[in-house]
Amino acid sequence: MAEVQNAIYRAGLRANPVDVTLIRERYLDVERTVACTVADQDGRIVGFQSLKRAWPGNPYGVPSGWGIIGTHIHPGVGRSGVGRRLFAISLSAAKAAGLRHVDASIGADNVGALAYYSAMGFIPYGEKDGVIPHRFDL
């Protein structure tokens, strides 16, 4: 998972590299995690999607009780259906967890993510500090 994010960083699509400790803290925190699904190709992780339950004071300003989703796809496999397959699993998990809304906070300059989340059915609901929050209503 760290290598996926670091490949995104090397492609100029992420501000900072990550390490395994950060991945564990940010995406595998069982207290808030609804689902964290990985996609592999030939035994190598090529993407993952994290779905968490929003908490008071989260850095995205998402209301408590909503879901917060993040999608991370290795640049070498983008537009191959990996993200769509990951979202199908996350959507099922969101429904099972009783979430009514899911937020994807996307950088206004992240053209690929904006297109992806739009294709998944997310709609923008504002803009703040160069971030365009999108929501999916279940």
Side-chain angles (χ1 to χ4, degrees):
M1 291 169 65
E3 176 48 34
V4 168
Q5 285 206 333
N6 288 330
I8 294 168
Y9 166 74
R10 288 189 300 274
L13 302 171
R14 178 177 177 79
N16 298 301
V18 300
D19 61 19
V20 172
T21 301
L22 182 70
I23 292 293
R24 283 190 180 120
E25 290 170 359
R26 189 170 290 168
Y27 301 107
L28 303 176
D29 170 10
V30 295
E31 181 183 347
R32 297 183 181 120
T33 297
V34 174
C36 187
T37 308
V38 298
D40 76 282
Q41 199 171 65
D42 301 322
R44 183 182 70 125
I45 294 175
V46 295
F48 67 96
Q49 190 165 69
S50 170
L51 177 63
K52 294 179 171 261
R53 191 176 302 276
W55 61 97
N58 68 75
Y60 309 104
V62 175
S64 292
W66 282 39
I68 298 173
I69 198 166
T71 306
H72 313 274
I73 307 294
H74 191 287
V77 299
R79 304 199 49 82
S80 66
V82 170
R84 188 170 294 282
R85 290 190 298 276
L86 288 170
F87 184 62
I89 295 166
S90 293
L91 181 57
S92 179
K95 289 177 181 176
L99 297 177
R100 309 238 340 147
H101 311 284
V102 177
D103 171 90
S105 293
I106 307 161
D109 60 348
N110 191 338
V111 176
L114 291 168
Y116 166 74
Y117 283 107
S118 177
M120 296 303 104
F122 284 72
I123 55 170
Y125 68 98
E127 184 170 352
K128 55 186 172 192
D129 301 324
V131 173
I132 304 173
H134 285 60
R135 69 188 277 166
F136 186 95
D137 299 320
L138 288 91

